[in-house]
Amino acid sequence: MTLKISIDPAAGTAPYEQLRTQIAGQARSGRLPVGYKLPTVRGLAEELGLAANTVAKAYRALESDGVIETRGRNGTFVAAAGDAAEREAAAAAQAYAERAVRLGLGRDAARAAVEEALRAAYAR
C-alpha cells in the first residue's frame, strides 16, 4: 500500500489543498488504513516537487481535522478519522441549527442556506 498523490500546478486549487484533499480522501475511503505511516514532510515534498512548508501546511490542516496524528519522532500516521470527522460535522450542524433558530429563520430558509453553502463548497 502506497500513498498516491498527484499535484496539478495548473489547477485553480493551491498545492497544499490538493495534497490535503487527496490524503483525507484516501484515509476516509480506507485506501490508507488507520495506522498507515505517512512520509516525512521533507520526503514527501521532495517526491512531489513541493516546498517543505507546503507539505507541512497540509499536514497541519489534516492533523487539525483529525485525519492524521503526529507521534513525535516516530512519525505521522493516519488516525481513526471517520468518527472524529462525523462528530465535528454534527457539532457544526448543531451550532448552525441553534444560530438559525436565534436568527428567526424557518426550517426551509435554514435548509436552503445549508444547501447553497454545500453546493458552493463541493463545486470547487
Side-chain angles (χ1 to χ4, degrees), residues 34-97:
V34 171
Y36 177 84
K37 186 173 182 179
L38 293 167
T40 64
V41 167
R42 286 182 192 216
L44 188 56
E46 287 176 15
E47 182 181 325
L48 297 174
L50 297 172
N53 285 341
T54 300
V55 175
K57 184 175 182 178
Y59 274 21
R60 281 192 305 274
L62 288 162
E63 191 161 21
S64 175
D65 292 344
V67 175
I68 64 173
E69 59 187 4
T70 301
R71 300 177 190 162
R73 295 196 179 273
N74 291 325
T76 303
F77 299 83
V78 173
D83 293 339
E86 290 172 11
R87 280 194 307 273
E88 188 172 336
Q94 180 65 37
Y96 171 75

Side-chain angles (χ1 to χ4, degrees), residues 1-6 19 22-24 26-27 31-32 36-39 44 47-48 59 78:
M1 170 140 340
T2 58
L3 179 65
K4 294 187 189 323
I5 301 291
S6 68
L19 179 58
Q22 290 178 52
I23 291 174
Q26 290 179 41
R31 280 182 273 152
L32 292 178
Y36 177 84
K37 186 173 182 179
L38 293 167
L44 188 56
E47 182 181 325
L48 297 174
Y59 274 21
V78 173

Side-chain angles (χ1 to χ4, degrees), residues 8-20:
D8 179 1
T13 306
Y16 91 89
E17 181 61 21
Q18 292 179 51
L19 179 58
R20 186 202 66 75

